[in-house]
Amino acid sequence: MAKNLSGRSFLKLLDFEPNDVRYLLDLSKDFKNLKRTGTPHRHLQGKNIVLLFEKTSTRTRCSFEVAGMDLGMGVTYLDPGSSQMGKKESIADTARVLGKMYDGIEYRGFSQQLVEELAKYAGVPVWNGLTDDFHPTQMIADLLTIEEHFGHLKGLNFVFMGDARNNVANSLMIACAMTGVNFTACAPSELFPKAELVEKAREIAKRQGSTVTLESDVKKATTGAHVLYTDIWVSMGEPDEIWETRIKLLSPYQVNKAVMDNADPEAIFMHCLPSFHDRKTVIGEQIYEKFGLKEMEVTDEVFESDKSVVFEEAENRMHTIKAIMYATLK
Ligand code: CP
Ligand code: NVA
């Protein structure tokens, strides 16, 4: 039986049990059905939430806004620089003020410690919309997308290619471990996840009958893979100077046709987005001019192929964030 998550914050998956994840996935499916059938579900009418963003966002912000409005809540968005937080007011004071006005707080920013501190003082649920270490709301959407595609999670082989110690990769390793999915971080050893987190993931995976593997050989890592997942090579908050080193380190880890062909014939491609798969962005064009790359972590061919489920995955952010808010606020 899933625990009652009412009143809980959602800061990282490590704070939860596998049956909590199962409960959130089932709840997400229910909300997706309600949305698809146009059935009103203003279950949290009268409540209000505030969204604090210290880094930019499309999917996470819009998911929280639409999900909040669908649930009947009032939604306030505060962008970087438009609140006193950090500059003139401490995190603890900001949390106590917002906690008096709002029923829930979303935070996207830099340190994990900061979101944990907000939660400690707010007195209302705090949801982590991405920190440098973790991106837990993304995980419920990713698991839902995989389960919708294959009909199950346990026993699938999941391979993350790229910067395997970034927020998304860290969270995916724990998400896979908690759901019995075999996780492989396919990366140069410099970009393997931290040993301490790998240890924790392995303990969880063992209980679910799955494995956590670190592998630098692309062919070995991707043979028999059911899910190929990647993320941008330089994350928000990292300095621009790092692009050159990252491109050198990660070019062999691009998800391209050869990688997809080496995977299971039914394999799918996933990406949390945004993605540099062409030159149609400001940064994409700058990288092309400086380094001559017209695509980075994934080729346009794979991104646009029928194996790619990236837009279903993006849609699922909204249904799953709705489930997380409902479960913790109801
Ligand atoms: N995947 C994700 O979190 O996207 P945004 O940065 O647009 O929110
Ligand atoms: N690793 C990326 C994820 C964006 C959703 C970043 O932090 O920029």
Side-chain angles (χ1 to χ4, degrees), residues 147-158:
E147 190 168 74
E148 282 176 339
H149 190 87
F150 291 101
H152 69 285
L153 291 169
K154 259 192 200 316
L156 291 174
N157 299 324
F158 182 107

Side-chain angles (χ1 to χ4, degrees), residues 2 5 10 21 26 28 48 51 54 57 84 102-103 105-106 152 158 188 224 252 258 262 283 295 313:
L5 302 184
F10 195 75
V21 172
D26 292 340
S28 302
N48 294 290
L51 314 179
E54 297 204 295
S57 170
Q84 314 284 22
Y102 292 95
D103 300 284
I105 303 171
E106 183 274 358
H152 69 285
F158 182 107
N262 188 51
I283 295 177
E295 44 201 8
E313 185 183 359

